[in-house]
Amino acid sequence: MRKGKIHLAYKHFLGYKKGADGRPEIVEEEAEIIRKIFDLFLDGWTIRHIAQHLTDEGIPTPKGNSKWPVSTVENILSNEKYKGDALLQKTYTEDYLTKKVKKNCGEVKQYLVEHSHEPIIDPETFDRVQELLAKRRPYKSKLRDGSPFCNKLICADCGGFFGHKVWHNHGNTKRYDIWYCNQRYRGNKVCETPILYESDIKRAFEQFLCSIGKKAEYSPERWRELVDSVSVQSDKMLVFTLNDGSKHTIAL
């Protein structure tokens, strides 16, 4: 590792094979899949939607399976090897008798080999993707458990998830379920996307159902069945991205 020698599990690593010089060599057909994943993510597709799209297209996973897990797509998007670098010893063997392997969280030394091989993704594109991933990750654990809107509403300003809050009127006799960007009041810039009443989200969904000729009746089951994500625009527009990849815009 100190000498910068790279060892990949090529059998299960999409985009590269072992070259004649022992270094990773690009497999162009597989590299196109990697580029497609990065392009779709930068175009605003969610990781779940990308995974479903790859599955529907019949593209095999790195392990040769037919169904793409969300975690596989996320691992590809965050793997520095696709920009030509290699971080070595991400995991380590904790016990050589049991062969138990653990994620390296500083227990042993890591080695970063920069420009170790030809990149599939240019560094600028890779870094933009990491910024978007970093904006979304911290807020997943704060999302409302059990709600069909959880992990579905995305701020068009910053890419962060919308979170749930409860408002009460002055008499404290009535409650309002609202959703707004979790990063709205963080940092110096305030996101311009509006605060949404849960009732308005349901009403917008019913308008969308009418627009595609279906019975306008909201239910969590129908929402989960049809909706992959909703981009919340600052001009009070909701852009529904469906599980089939189509998009529909509804004004609040």
Side-chain angles (χ1 to χ4, degrees):
M1 291 184 187
R2 293 191 194 98
K3 294 177 181 178
K5 291 185 177 180
I6 303 167
H7 301 279
L8 296 182
Y10 290 103
K11 186 177 180 181
H12 297 149
F13 199 91
L14 199 66
Y16 289 104
K17 66 179 181 180
K18 188 174 182 179
D21 60 357
R23 291 184 175 275
E25 179 182 312
I26 293 177
V27 180
E28 192 54 40
E29 299 102 1
E30 297 179 359
E32 283 302 311
I33 300 171
I34 300 300
R35 296 186 188 105
K36 182 177 185 177
I37 290 172
F38 276 78
D39 288 344
L40 290 176
F41 185 74
L42 288 175
D43 283 344
W45 289 42
T46 65
I47 294 177
R48 184 187 300 105
H49 186 196
I50 295 172
Q52 186 60 53
H53 176 70
L54 295 172
T55 300
D56 294 342
E57 290 286 305
I59 298 171
T61 70
K63 292 185 177 181
N65 299 324
S66 59
K67 184 175 182 180
W68 279 76
V70 170
S71 59
T72 299
V73 176
E74 188 166 10
N75 288 339
I76 287 174
L77 289 170
S78 59
N79 196 320
E80 79 292 336
K81 293 181 180 66
Y82 290 118
K83 74 166 183 173
D85 295 343
L87 180 61
L88 308 181
Q89 203 151 241
K90 293 179 181 178
T91 61
Y92 69 99
T93 304
E94 183 184 45
D95 189 323
Y96 285 93
L97 293 177
T98 63
K99 307 297 182 183
K100 183 178 180 181
V101 176
K102 289 187 64 177
K103 182 178 179 181
N104 184 6
C105 296
E107 290 85 353
V108 296
K109 191 172 183 179
Q110 291 183 320
Y111 300 86
L112 177 63
V113 185
E114 296 181 311
H115 314 297
S116 61
H117 54 281
E118 186 180 357
I120 292 175
I121 304 298
D122 66 85
E124 293 77 16
T125 299
F126 184 86
D127 291 343
R128 284 208 312 275
V129 167
Q130 304 321 297
E131 290 174 5
L132 286 174
L133 288 172
K135 285 179 179 179
R136 296 187 182 186
R137 281 192 190 113
Y139 304 99
K140 286 186 178 180
S141 61
K142 298 181 181 180
L143 300 175
R144 184 185 179 192
D145 292 336
S147 169
F149 307 124
C150 176
N151 208 3
K152 297 276 190 176
L153 305 174
I154 299 172
C155 175
D157 265 11
C158 71
F161 287 110
F162 269 51
H164 171 258
K165 295 287 182 183
V166 176
W167 280 355
H168 293 275
N169 63 7
H170 294 298
N172 207 32
T173 58
K174 188 173 182 179
R175 58 173 279 163
Y176 299 91
D177 290 292
I178 64 156
W179 293 77
Y180 62 78
C181 178
N182 278 319
Q183 300 189 77
R184 183 179 180 86
Y185 301 113
R186 294 175 182 269
N188 297 323
K189 181 182 179 297
V190 177
C191 292
E192 295 181 1
T193 47
I195 292 172
L196 302 179
Y197 286 91
E198 192 163 297
S199 57
D200 288 340
I201 302 172
K202 294 176 180 177
R203 192 178 306 114
F205 179 65
E206 291 177 347
Q207 290 177 30
F208 149 70
L209 291 175
C210 281
S211 72
I212 61 174
K214 294 192 176 183
K215 185 178 179 182
E217 183 180 345
Y218 166 82
S219 72
E221 293 75 21
R222 296 188 81 189
W223 175 280
R224 292 189 178 101
E225 177 188 354
L226 292 172
V227 178
D228 178 78
S229 65
V230 179
S231 174
V232 183
Q233 313 288 328
S234 57
D235 52 358
K236 292 190 177 182
M237 304 288 286
L238 302 185
V239 181
F240 287 81
T241 299
L242 306 188
N243 289 323
D244 63 6
S246 62
K247 295 190 177 185
H248 301 261
T249 302
I250 301 295
L252 292 177

